[in-house]
Amino acid sequence: MEKIIQDAESRMKKSVANLKEELATVRTGRATPALFDRITVEYYGQQSPLNQVASISAPEPRLIVIQPWDKSVLGEIEKAIQNSDLSLNPVNDGKVLRINIPPLTEERRKEYIKMAKNTAEQAKVAVRNIRRDANESLKKAEKNGDISEDEFKKGEEKIQKLTDKYVEEISKLLEAKEKEIMED
C-alpha cells in the first residue's frame, strides 16, 4: 500500500514541477530568461535549446540580453525568437541581441491569464487522474487480499489528502502567476 501512495505522490510532484516549468514560459510584463526556455536554434545542423548556445540575462526589468558563445549563430537566434509565439523583436548589434519587453496590453494580459489557467487546469486533471489510478491499484490490492478493508480506506484517505495538497499547490502557483501577469 505504501508503494502505491509513494508512487502517486511522486507522480503528483512531477505534475506540479511540470506546471512550474510551463508557467515560467508564459510571458509577463517583466523580462525573465525563462521566457526563452522553449526556443531552439539550428546550431551545426541540429536543434539546440537557446540557453545551450548563448547566455541569457535580464540586466533591467524590461530588457533581455542574449549573447551567443559563437557569433555565427546570432542570426539563427534572432530568427528563432521572431518566429516564436512571444511577439518580440530582437535588436541585433552584431555581438548581442537586445530585446525590449514591452508592457502588456490589457487584452494580452487576459490572454496570458487564460493560457495560465488552462495549463493549471491540465495539471489539476493530471493530479486527479493519478488519484484515480492509485485508488484502482488499492482496490486491486484489496481484491487480491494484499491489504485489508481498513488499509484500503486509510490508503484512499491518504491519497485524497495528497490530491487536495497538490491541487491547492497548483491553485497557489496559478494565483501567483496571475498577479505577476497583472503587475506592470
Side-chain angles (χ1 to χ4, degrees), residues 1 6 21 26 36 48-49 52-53 65 70 76-77 82 87 90 97-99 117 121 164 171 178 180 184:
M1 179 178 85
Q6 286 171 350
E21 286 175 24
V26 173
F36 302 92
S48 301
Q52 290 182 9
V53 297
V65 175
D70 177 353
E76 286 294 330
I77 294 172
Q82 287 169 336
S87 311
L97 291 176
R98 285 185 174 74
I99 303 164
K117 282 182 177 175
E121 191 51 44
D164 294 344
S171 296
E178 284 179 355
E180 199 181 319
D184 205 9

Side-chain angles (χ1 to χ4, degrees), residues 111-124:
E111 259 178 62
Y112 288 132
I113 285 176
K114 193 174 175 184
M115 280 172 43
K117 282 182 177 175
N118 285 340
T119 305
E121 191 51 44
Q122 288 170 354
K124 286 180 182 179

Side-chain angles (χ1 to χ4, degrees), residues 87-119:
S87 311
L88 297 172
N89 280 320
V91 176
N92 183 341
D93 71 3
K95 292 181 184 153
V96 299
L97 291 176
R98 285 185 174 74
I99 303 164
N100 282 312
I101 308 290
L104 294 173
T105 63
E106 195 62 30
E107 194 177 310
R108 285 300 264 175
R109 287 178 200 272
K110 286 179 180 162
E111 259 178 62
Y112 288 132
I113 285 176
K114 193 174 175 184
M115 280 172 43
K117 282 182 177 175
N118 285 340
T119 305

